[in-house]
């Protein structure tokens, strides 16, 4: 009777020893696995680094895109009298179209649409702020509004008109997404379509159409006698689209 508990203890100790041996084997195997080339690559790869097949850094694309959109807005503003020269109009939309093409190829889903629209709005706000700056002055001087209210009215008008440029950017981005680089040639028709819509929608505001930037260039403005101001706008945008596609 005394030997039975002793035998049980021996079996228990032997089982613990075998368990420790199994644990040692598992530890050795884990060490071997960590020493494999695949594990070393996983350890050496820093957290958040881009792996093969993933899209480029979205932050970099966004920063470049908004810089190009801002440049387009400045060039559009410089295309009209007092601030610039009509020659700026011929390449004014090229930076925005490039930004749209980059964004269309890097983002996806709803985020892509939002960013494309945002690029156009940035361009539009700068464009109309430079060409319709006098709206705030008129509202304050002749409308009798306080200075901050006059500026607010002007800013709301700039933003409203910029929405059409945002829709333009969204349509060009969709075309690039579907047809590749050749999709940028949708730009002339899209730009003219939204210029035409804003000329009558909600009463219309047909000011600073892109074709009117060439009013002082007599040889060029003669084209308007054949195709109208919208046809001239389409011609100007076509040059920008061609420059962007190069």
């Amino acid at each position: 009777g005394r030997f039975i508990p002793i035998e049980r203890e021996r079996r228990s100790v032997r089982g613990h020893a075998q368990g420790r041996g199994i644990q040692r084997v598992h530890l050795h195997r884990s060490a071997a696995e960590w020493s494999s080339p695949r594990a070393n690559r996983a350890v050496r790869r820093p957290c958040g680094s881009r792996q093969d097949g993933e899209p480029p850094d979205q932050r970099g694309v966004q920063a470049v895109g908004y810089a190009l959109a801002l440049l387009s807005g400045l060039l559009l503003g410089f295309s009209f009298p007092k601030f610039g020269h009509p020659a700026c109009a011929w390449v004014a939309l090229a930076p925005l179209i490039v930004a749209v093409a980059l964004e269309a190829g890097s983002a996806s889903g709803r985020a892509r649409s939002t960013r494309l629209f945002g690029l156009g709005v940035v361009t539009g706000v700068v464009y109309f702020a430079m060409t319709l700056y006098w709206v705030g002055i008129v509202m304050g001087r002749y409308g009798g509004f306080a200075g901050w209210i006059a500026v607010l009215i002007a800013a709301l008008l700039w933003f409203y008109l910029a929405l059409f440029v945002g829709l333009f950017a969204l349509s060009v981005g969709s075309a690039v997404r579907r047809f590749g680089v050749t999709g940028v040639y949708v730009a002339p028709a899209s730009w003219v379509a939204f210029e035409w819509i804003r000329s009558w929608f909600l009463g219309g505001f047909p000011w600073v159409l892109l074709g009117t930037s060439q009013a002082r260039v007599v040889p060029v403005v003669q084209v308007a006698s054949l195709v109208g101001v919208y046809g001239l706008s389409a011609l100007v945008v076509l040059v920008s689209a061609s420059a962007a596609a190069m």
Side-chain angles (χ1 to χ4, degrees), residues 143-155:
F145 293 97
W148 69 272
I149 297 179
V151 172
L152 179 61
I153 293 172

Side-chain angles (χ1 to χ4, degrees), residues 55-144:
D57 186 9
Q58 294 294 328
R59 293 181 180 178
V61 173
Q62 292 178 39
V64 172
Y66 284 112
L68 291 173
L70 177 62
L71 177 60
S72 267
L74 292 172
L75 289 173
L76 286 168
F78 287 137
S79 302
F80 289 83
K82 187 174 182 177
F83 290 114
H85 193 277
C88 295
W90 296 91
V91 294
L93 284 172
L96 175 61
I97 295 173
V98 171
V100 166
L102 290 174
E103 188 64 46
S106 62
S108 61
R110 184 177 299 177
R112 178 181 67 242
S113 300
T114 302
R115 292 171 188 169
L116 289 173
F117 185 75
L119 290 172
V121 170
V122 169
T123 296
V125 168
V126 177
Y127 170 28
F128 293 112
M130 293 181 64
T131 52
L132 299 175
Y133 63 92
W134 48 266
V135 172
I137 299 174
V138 171
M139 288 296 175
R141 183 174 300 175
Y142 303 105

